[in-house]
Amino acid sequence: VTGHGHGGAHAPAAHGPRWLVISIATVLGLARDGELLALFALRDTLKPHAAKVIAELRRQHQKVFLVSGDHTPTVVSIAQQAGLDASEVLTGETIEHLDDSELARRAKTASVFARIMPEQKLRIVNALKANGEIVAMTGDGVNDAPSLKSAHIGIAMGKRGTDVAREAADMVLLDDNFRTIVGAVAEGRQLFRNLQLSFAYLLMVHTALVLSAAIVPLSGYPLLYLPIHIVWLELLIHPTALLVFQDRPPPTGLARVTRGRDSAFYGAWGWAVILLVGALVTVATVQSYEHALGIAREVEHARAIALSVLIVVAGRWHRARLSRAKTVGRQVAERRFAVLPAALSARRSSRSVW
């Protein structure tokens, strides 16, 4: 690369490296009239997997921002290599003239920020929070500490991060690898889903257990459950609820989630499904008990049939929840209607089994 002064180094900066000009000037700090001695290019190469990881995050509707203090052409080049949208770039000079509300509005469309000062990083984080976003920020320098502290999740680099950054962060990335963050998010999402499945199963089974235990004697029939039956059911229910924790995050990427920061553990639809299935299991259990009693009032036989129906129907629903359906509609159909074939088949076969 040849040239004198700023103009000769500006064009190559668009290719990504930082440029250091060494020259001799007659006036301190003015290299324009001096003699160019050397031009050094300092490049931090983008990790090979960075673009792929960012693309995966974007497919899952997570927005990635590039905030840097480097020159705008250098930042744009890195953003394009990483697959980020660099059509709109906010610079530190522009942000200096924006109030907080205007910055929050511009942050909805911009993904790349260049020539950013430390205090402006903090303003960007607060602007994203004002937009209702859950903000995770990575940083390694002392000047990143305020932003790491302000973000919902501050992530410091473990290898090249400063002690100040690690102290301010919520977690430390030991391998300085962005892919590790994605893996941690995937495991967290899978754990949350497993907890939802486990508690949904427990709530559904216990809803049917309590309702059937109350309905049967109120209808004038002998008690459905004795204490030994309750103990036996609990010994079966709780271990099977733990089966969901065998599921690992899918190797293809992150699972899609639509919940917000303040979302409840179960939404209205989730509670509706739990109560509906619990009611259906209750009907199947009570009907099988009533049918098995018969004219002879064979209580022990009827209890065995009712307990079997409760376990079989609940187990089939649990299996449907654990199946990896391709669409949400298919999952809902399995959860809602898997109980009906089980209840009918159990009722038909009650006499032949016992």
Side-chain angles (χ1 to χ4, degrees), residues 167-320:
E167 289 293 331
D170 299 292
M171 62 179 65
V172 177
L173 201 60
L174 297 179
D175 58 358
D176 292 5
N177 193 330
F178 193 64
R179 184 187 293 275
T180 304
I181 300 177
V182 180
V185 173
E187 290 188 7
R189 289 185 176 183
Q190 186 64 44
L191 177 60
F192 185 84
R193 178 177 177 273
N194 291 345
L195 286 170
Q196 284 184 317
L197 293 174
S198 178
F199 280 100
Y201 172 70
L202 290 174
L203 289 170
M204 181 273 298
V205 175
H206 285 88
T207 298
L209 186 62
V210 171
L211 290 178
S212 60
I215 292 173
V216 167
L218 291 177
S219 301
Y221 297 109
L223 288 176
L224 174 54
Y225 306 113
L226 296 179
I228 189 64
H229 299 141
I230 301 297
V231 173
W232 180 72
L233 285 173
E234 294 297 330
L235 289 176
L236 289 177
I237 292 171
H238 288 278
T240 52
L242 299 178
L243 292 176
V244 297
F245 293 101
Q246 298 182 29
D247 285 354
R248 301 293 297 169
T252 55
L254 300 176
R256 173 76 182 275
V257 294
T258 56
R259 65 181 184 275
R261 182 187 176 190
D262 299 324
S263 299
F265 191 70
Y266 290 116
W269 174 248
W271 282 111
V273 170
I274 292 172
L275 295 177
L276 175 62
V277 176
L280 292 175
V281 176
T282 302
V283 171
T285 303
V286 173
Q287 288 294 322
S288 62
Y289 180 73
E290 179 185 358
H291 180 76
L293 272 176
I295 301 177
R297 294 278 176 161
E298 301 174 5
V299 179
E300 297 298 330
H301 168 72
R303 284 172 177 164
I305 293 296
L307 289 172
S308 299
V309 169
L310 177 62
I311 294 300
V312 169
V313 174
R316 289 200 60 175
W317 183 80
H318 196 39
R319 182 179 179 183

Side-chain angles (χ1 to χ4, degrees), residues 99-163:
D99 58 21
D100 292 340
S101 59
E102 183 64 18
L103 177 59
R105 187 187 67 82
R106 296 287 298 272
K108 293 180 179 179
T109 56
S111 300
V112 180
F113 300 82
R115 303 298 291 166
I116 301 299
M117 302 298 290
E119 61 273 15
Q120 293 173 338
K121 289 184 181 180
L122 180 59
R123 288 190 62 196
I124 293 171
V125 170
N126 291 332
L128 293 174
K129 293 169 64 176
N131 290 336
E133 303 286 354
I134 300 176
V135 182
M137 177 178 172
T138 61
D140 56 6
V142 174
N143 57 1
D144 293 325
S147 303
L148 291 171
K149 194 69 175 179
S150 177
H152 293 116
I153 306 173
I155 306 173
M157 302 297 106
K159 291 183 178 179
R160 54 187 173 87
T162 61
D163 292 338

Side-chain angles (χ1 to χ4, degrees), residues 20-102:
L20 178 63
V21 178
I22 298 179
S23 62
I24 298 178
T26 56
V27 180
L28 183 63
L30 297 178
R32 181 174 300 173
D33 298 327
E35 179 184 357
L36 179 65
L37 298 181
L39 185 63
F40 292 94
L42 308 176
R43 179 189 295 272
D44 291 332
T45 58
L46 195 67
K47 294 183 178 180
H49 61 267
K52 182 179 179 181
V53 172
I54 291 175
E56 174 62 27
L57 290 172
R58 293 180 65 184
R59 283 195 297 269
Q60 302 303 328
H61 298 270
Q62 295 192 61
K63 193 171 183 180
V64 179
F65 295 86
L66 176 58
V67 182
S68 174
D70 290 331
H71 288 281
T72 301
T74 301
V75 176
V76 170
S77 175
I78 296 297
Q80 292 173 343
Q81 294 177 45
L84 295 176
D85 182 11
S87 58
E88 181 179 356
V89 181
L90 286 181
T91 63
E93 183 180 357
T94 302
I95 293 177
E96 189 69 26
H97 297 88
L98 299 178
D99 58 21
D100 292 340
S101 59
E102 183 64 18

